[in-house]
Amino acid sequence: MLYHHLNVKIHGFFLSIWRANSSPMTSTPASSGDPASSSPVEGLVAAVFTPFDEAGEIDVGRIPAIVDFLSEQNLTGIYICGSTGEAPSLTINERKLVAEAYVSAAKGKLVTMVQVGHTCLKDCLDLGAHAASIGADAISSVAPYYFKPSDVKTLTAFLAEVAASALELPFYYYHIPALSGVAVDPVTFLEQGRETIPTLRGIKFTDEDLSVFNACQVAGDGDYDVLFGRDEMYLAGLAAGSRGAVGSTFNLAPALYDRIRRAFDEGDLEEAGKWQQVAVAMIRGLVGNGGDAAIKYAMTRHGLDCGPRRLPATQLRRDEKAGIDQLLDELGFEDWATV
């Protein structure tokens, strides 16, 4: 198998940080009480897909099977209607239907985090209140991405109103500057945010800058839950202190990332590095054969047809699907993807 030949050198930097951050990982759902001091979300959180039929209409009937599969894979939770879930391509009513289906199916099985961000503040408030009403465990919001906040004060003012729509739930800011176009410093946001966002629990950090990720971890006296959001850098995130992560390929290969985490926790950095290289090879191959649509298509390997992506997202060609299947076969996918 190709992955037997993959290797990576782990530098002394990673070893020193492992020694400081290698306490056992547990899967802990958010607790009741003060949302801002709820238990951290640790382990793997899958950023779930929105299933569509071939006509591009949502098909919530496919969601229970997706949740059943994920709940058997040592995952902590699911992140609903994020980028992977194609939230910007959904109507408000569709987002509610998807959130209801996932929260209902995951009750008692997985922590549920609903992303309620939008370009329209009133729609955010509607989605936030809805998430609370259906029993979600937390809400999250990306920054508005058309008329963009240019400073921390404006971003905080917007998100304070979003969080107030569900005051009983922990709130997580979704920092993803590559897609939102909002590059407001997340560290300053965390340092100042709780003054106006009393339910602010943390941040979903989807960026490559580990120095900023580290700074987020110590912001506010290290009181925030900082979730790492780059699958292809998962081991680097662990080495930088991450205890919880959100990823799209966690749907596809949850056991692969669990191998990385367990090897890291056991101090076997060579083993962790080997499996991270497998993850990188998988992600690079999928990106080269259709990107996000390829990841969604690859769920068919588990008997789960999540359908196509909705326009304007790229639609997979037949040759790209064949390339995806060939890639996964060459990587020995069935040997390491699931438990």
Side-chain angles (χ1 to χ4, degrees):
M1 298 297 180
L2 177 61
Y3 67 86
H4 288 153
H5 304 287
L6 294 168
N7 191 20
V8 65
K9 293 182 179 180
I10 307 297
H11 299 281
F13 166 76
F14 290 95
L15 179 61
S16 64
I17 298 183
W18 167 78
R19 288 170 175 158
N21 294 286
S22 59
S23 57
M25 175 117 26
T26 58
S27 298
T28 310
S31 64
S32 59
D34 179 13
S37 59
S38 60
S39 299
V41 178
E42 301 185 339
L44 301 173
V45 176
V48 289
F49 301 104
T50 293
F52 296 119
D53 62 24
E54 291 306 314
E57 299 298 323
I58 63 168
D59 185 353
V60 295
R62 304 184 191 191
I63 288 175
I66 297 171
V67 170
D68 286 345
F69 167 73
L70 295 175
S71 67
E72 296 169 355
Q73 298 299 320
N74 296 329
L75 291 169
T76 297
I78 54 177
Y79 190 85
I80 304 160
C81 289
S83 304
T84 303
E86 302 177 66
S89 297
L90 304 180
T91 68
I92 299 303
N93 187 55
E94 286 176 330
R95 288 176 67 168
K96 289 180 179 180
L97 291 174
V98 171
E100 288 171 11
Y102 269 116
V103 170
S104 176
K107 188 66 66 178
K109 300 176 183 178
L110 296 163
V111 173
T112 53
M113 307 177 73
V114 179
Q115 198 282 125
V116 301
H118 197 277
T119 55
C120 173
L121 179 56
K122 287 189 176 181
D123 285 337
C124 294
L125 305 186
D126 186 12
L127 290 166
H130 176 262
S133 73
I134 62 175
D137 293 305
I139 62 169
S140 176
S141 178
V142 70
Y145 43 84
Y146 189 85
F147 296 119
K148 303 176 183 68
S150 59
D151 52 56
V152 170
K153 181 179 179 181
T154 307
L155 175 63
T156 302
F158 183 93
L159 295 179
E161 294 204 35
V162 178
S165 69
L167 283 173
E168 62 270 48
L169 298 182
F171 176 78
Y172 288 76
Y173 168 47
Y174 181 10
H175 176 67
I176 183 166
L179 288 183
S180 70
V182 176
V184 172
D185 179 30
V187 181
T188 306
F189 167 78
L190 289 174
E191 289 173 342
Q192 300 179 8
R194 200 166 282 169
E195 296 176 7
T196 52
I197 309 175
T199 58
L200 181 60
R201 184 65 187 91
I203 186 170
K204 178 181 180 292
F205 186 91
T206 305
D207 193 25
E208 297 79 17
D209 194 329
L210 292 178
S211 67
V212 178
F213 177 72
N214 281 139
C216 286
Q217 290 177 304
V218 299
D221 297 322
D223 205 24
Y224 288 113
D225 188 17
V226 184
L227 305 176
F228 193 62
R230 281 290 186 219
D231 309 16
E232 63 271 38
M233 296 176 63
Y234 179 56
L235 177 56
L238 288 173
S242 168
R243 304 309 290 164
V246 182
S248 57
T249 58
F250 298 172
N251 293 280
L252 177 60
L256 171 60
Y257 294 96
D258 192 53
R259 287 174 187 262
I260 297 168
R261 178 192 58 78
R262 285 188 287 108
F264 178 82
D265 284 346
E266 293 166 3
D268 191 345
L269 301 185
E270 182 177 355
E271 181 76 359
K274 180 187 78 170
W275 290 113
Q276 181 64 57
Q277 287 293 81
V278 175
V280 170
M282 176 184 70
I283 292 168
R284 286 177 60 86
L286 291 171
V287 169
N289 282 282
D292 290 335
I295 301 171
K296 195 174 189 181
Y297 165 75
M299 292 296 286
T300 58
R301 302 288 289 233
H302 304 307
L304 297 167
D305 184 0
C306 296
R309 298 250 296 169
R310 181 175 277 180
L311 289 171
T314 302
Q315 308 299 300
L316 288 179
R317 303 186 308 268
R318 183 175 301 176
D319 64 301
E320 289 175 322
K321 292 180 180 180
I324 293 163
D325 287 323
Q326 180 179 348
L327 165 76
L328 297 178
D329 286 341
E330 291 177 350
L331 289 173
F333 180 77
E334 270 70 27
D335 295 334
W336 43 256
T338 60
V339 297

